[in-house]
Amino acid sequence: MAKAVIIGGGVSGLSAGIAAAERGHEVTVIEKHTVPGGNLTGWDRGGYHIDNCIHWLTGTNPVTDLYGEWESLGAFGKEGVFLPDFLYTYEKDGRSVSLVRDAEALSARMKELSPADSRETDRFIAAVRAAKSLTGVSRSSNAERSGAWERAAAVPRLFPYYFMTAGELARRFSDPLLSGFLREFLTESFGALGLIFVFAAFCGDNGGIPRGSSRAMALRMADRFVSSGGELRTGAEAKKIDLDGRRAVSVTLADGERITCDFVIPACDPDAVFGKLIDGRFMPAALKRRYNDASLFRFSSCHAAFSLDGPPPFRGDLIVDVAAPLPEGLRARTAILREFSHEPSFSPPGKSVIEATVFCDEDESRRFIAERKNGERYGEVKRAVGDALLSVVLTRFPGLRGRVETLDVWTPATYSEYTNAGAGSYMSFAFSSRRVPRFMKGKVRGLDNVILATQWQRAPGGLPNAACAGIAAARTLDRLAGVTEVTRTRPKRRLYGIFSFLVLALR
């Protein structure tokens, strides 16, 4: 067995740590923040809890392979999973449409809203059912596992959407409500297949929310790691991976301490690994190509959380138009409002907490990161963002005036500060049309004992891909350390990894 240091205590690092520790390796996870979880986190402000990450999580249906992996990682614990009745409501001109868990009900609602789009609706819903089958959930019952023939038959239904972006798909619908719903759900630049797989996950009871949400899930995974024999060190920032020829021999921390080891597993953003922890020349060629690929792009978002006197005026997630210009050149046309009535402990009795989010492209995100270097100026920028998002809330719900207060504001610079994320991105490369993302192996060429474990090994990243990468890194550790006895099943990345989002995050 080997001694391994894992750099980064997010989902990738904890997954790698759990899998490796269960095999008997001596594993230390070091995390620069004071709490584990990376982007999978939340924090408290003024008696309220602010959740940062999960809007939905792929792998919450027990018939899927990924559910078993999450269970093995301790992600759900005894608390289990909350399955909302609908996800994301889009409004326009006094009408609304929501992604509901029943694909038949969704089809009926779309046809009711726009009979003229019935044929296009049928094609789209057929693709959603096909995608659900490919993820392992039967078309006939979400409690049954799809068979091989059912999965094979699904492929032709999906093939036409391989060539489309979400925006191009949206333009196939004449009704502005349905068109906007499909265009604004992710972004119009995103591949249409990605959108379809999100719908499929939710309609397959495979896109729920772990009870307690992000921070609770992270702490459960950390507990599983420690109970498996691993050592978790928070508040310990890695500054350098020390090399001797082709081998890493230790990791130097910010305080000067050196941790010797047989293997190093960087489980953090590649921007923090190559050029900072080790020389940039070690970046795998496949990863370099992704950074230079115009069809892949990075994004982030700005957020504000608000305390509310009384219950929220909406349920779930609501996509609303941004009427007034946003500060700092933000170009978002819509904002996502989110409420947390499914977690009563997040707010005091008689109160509630809501959040507002707008997405940023990479250029916008870098401007926020640059502004953070000037503390006073950045404070002004954050206040402007908070005021703008509060205005979005009050424009949609004017009756909240005098009953709502800002709790906190965070931006791409926040993600950059706490997770060393390039461009403040909390998910890896988003992708456009004509792409089926492939998993990139974690072995770092040129170094014999350094293994990547990061969501960036497959676009568009997210929590499922992070867990997949961590478990794959533990398998690679076994192979390089000469371990032959296999006690864990191999995660079936081919099914859930391709279009698992998990979290728009999309935050």
Side-chain angles (χ1 to χ4, degrees):
M1 297 300 178
K3 180 179 181 181
V5 173
I6 298 175
I7 303 174
V11 169
S12 294
L14 292 173
S15 298
I18 293 167
E22 287 180 348
R23 294 295 304 275
H25 296 289
E26 182 182 345
V27 187
T28 300
V29 170
I30 56 174
E31 165 59 43
K32 67 174 287 189
H33 199 14
T34 55
V35 293
N39 287 312
L40 183 66
T41 192
W43 53 90
D44 299 324
R45 291 288 186 274
Y48 295 82
H49 182 72
I50 298 171
D51 185 75
N52 174 70
C53 188
I54 301 176
H55 279 206
W56 78 86
L57 179 70
T58 307
T60 58
N61 188 322
V63 306
T64 63
D65 297 313
L66 183 53
Y67 182 91
E69 292 298 336
W70 285 131
E71 284 282 275
S72 73
L73 296 172
F76 302 151
K78 297 179 181 179
E79 293 83 353
V81 171
F82 168 68
L83 293 175
D85 293 327
F86 55 90
L87 178 72
Y88 291 107
T89 298
Y90 178 72
E91 298 180 335
K92 192 171 186 65
D93 300 328
R95 300 186 302 156
S96 66
V97 60
S98 303
L99 172 54
V100 294
R101 284 165 52 193
D102 185 340
E104 297 299 328
L106 175 61
S107 176
R109 175 59 176 162
M110 292 174 70
K111 291 179 179 179
E112 175 190 0
L113 289 165
S114 180
D117 287 316
S118 292
R119 180 173 295 182
E120 200 59 51
T121 294
D122 284 339
R123 292 193 189 101
F124 177 72
I125 295 299
V128 170
R129 295 193 196 99
K132 189 169 72 165
S133 296
L134 278 183
T135 59
V137 181
S138 174
R139 291 180 298 171
S140 59
S141 170
N142 291 340
E144 298 177 12
R145 186 180 180 85
S146 58
W149 284 110
E150 189 176 353
R151 300 181 194 188
V155 175
R157 294 283 189 183
L158 294 169
F159 186 69
Y161 297 94
Y162 169 78
F163 300 95
M164 300 181 204
T165 65
E168 290 167 341
L169 170 61
R171 287 192 286 274
R172 297 170 72 97
F173 289 79
S174 61
D175 183 79
L177 177 68
L178 297 186
S179 181
F181 179 52
L182 299 173
R183 182 184 63 247
E184 302 295 346
F185 200 99
L186 296 177
T187 67
E188 61 181 320
S189 300
F190 224 104
L193 276 179
L195 177 68
I196 288 169
F197 271 82
V198 172
F199 275 59
F202 193 72
C203 290
D205 291 342
N206 200 28
I209 306 171
R211 291 287 182 181
S213 207
S214 304
R215 184 172 69 180
M217 176 175 163
L219 293 177
R220 288 191 290 262
M221 292 181 67
D223 288 344
R224 176 63 59 88
F225 171 61
V226 173
S227 67
S228 298
E231 178 188 11
L232 176 62
R233 296 182 58 177
T234 57
E237 182 178 3
K239 297 299 285 188
K240 183 183 177 184
I241 298 174
D242 305 306
L243 304 179
D244 182 5
R246 292 176 57 91
R247 295 190 61 82
V249 294
S250 62
V251 175
T252 298
L253 304 184
D255 63 3
E257 179 186 356
R258 292 182 65 190
I259 306 175
T260 60
C261 54
D262 302 312
F263 291 88
V264 176
I265 302 178
C268 44
D269 193 289
D271 282 353
V273 178
F274 301 103
K276 296 181 180 179
L277 297 179
I278 54 178
D279 195 281
R281 63 189 171 90
F282 291 113
M283 179 181 283
L287 189 56
K288 287 183 180 179
R289 287 194 296 270
R290 293 182 185 186
Y291 275 97
N292 295 323
D293 189 336
S295 67
L296 299 173
F297 52 96
R298 294 189 285 182
F299 66 93
S300 188
S301 50
C302 291
H303 311 254
F306 307 97
S307 63
L308 177 62
D309 185 12
F314 63 95
R315 296 296 302 275
D317 303 83
L318 182 64
I319 302 174
V320 298
D321 290 332
V322 175
L326 293 169
E328 294 301 308
L330 291 175
R331 297 182 291 272
R333 295 177 303 195
T334 58
I336 300 173
L337 308 184
R338 186 182 178 206
E339 60 87 21
F340 298 86
S341 59
H342 60 286
E343 293 288 354
S345 65
F346 281 14
S347 55
K351 309 287 185 178
S352 55
V353 59
I354 59 177
E355 294 178 10
T357 299
V358 291
F359 291 109
C360 316
D361 63 25
E362 185 169 341
D363 290 338
E364 293 168 321
S365 299
R366 290 191 182 281
R367 284 199 292 271
F368 283 99
I369 295 171
E371 293 284 7
R372 192 182 180 96
K373 297 176 182 178
N374 183 329
E376 183 176 346
R377 167 62 181 162
Y378 181 64
E380 295 174 357
V381 169
K382 285 182 63 176
R383 283 190 291 274
V385 170
D387 290 345
L389 292 179
L390 178 58
S391 177
V392 170
V393 173
L394 294 177
T395 297
R396 175 60 185 85
F397 299 105
L400 294 183
R401 197 171 299 277
R403 297 171 48 208
V404 60
E405 295 183 2
T406 303
L407 289 170
D408 203 1
V409 177
W410 60 110
T411 76
T414 310
Y415 296 108
S416 178
E417 173 71 15
Y418 285 96
T419 68
N420 294 324
S425 46
Y426 43 75
M427 291 181 68
S428 79
F429 309 104
F431 61 91
S432 189
S433 59
R434 300 172 185 265
R435 294 195 69 93
V436 176
R438 297 180 179 180
F439 186 81
M440 186 189 78
K441 294 181 179 180
K443 180 70 170 60
V444 176
R445 183 174 298 179
L447 295 176
D448 296 334
N449 61 340
V450 178
I451 309 163
L452 281 181
T454 168
Q455 61 167 319
W456 294 80
Q457 288 165 248
R458 191 200 301 271
L463 303 183
N465 281 326
C468 171
I471 295 170
R475 292 201 313 271
T476 302
L477 172 63
D478 282 347
R479 177 174 58 81
L480 296 178
V483 176
T484 56
E485 182 183 359
V486 177
T487 58
R488 285 183 57 87
T489 59
R490 180 173 180 167
K492 296 178 175 59
R493 298 192 309 264
R494 62 187 177 89
L495 294 180
Y496 64 78
I498 294 178
F499 298 109
S500 297
F501 299 119
L502 313 235
V503 203
L504 224 27
L506 287 174
R507 292 188 169 31

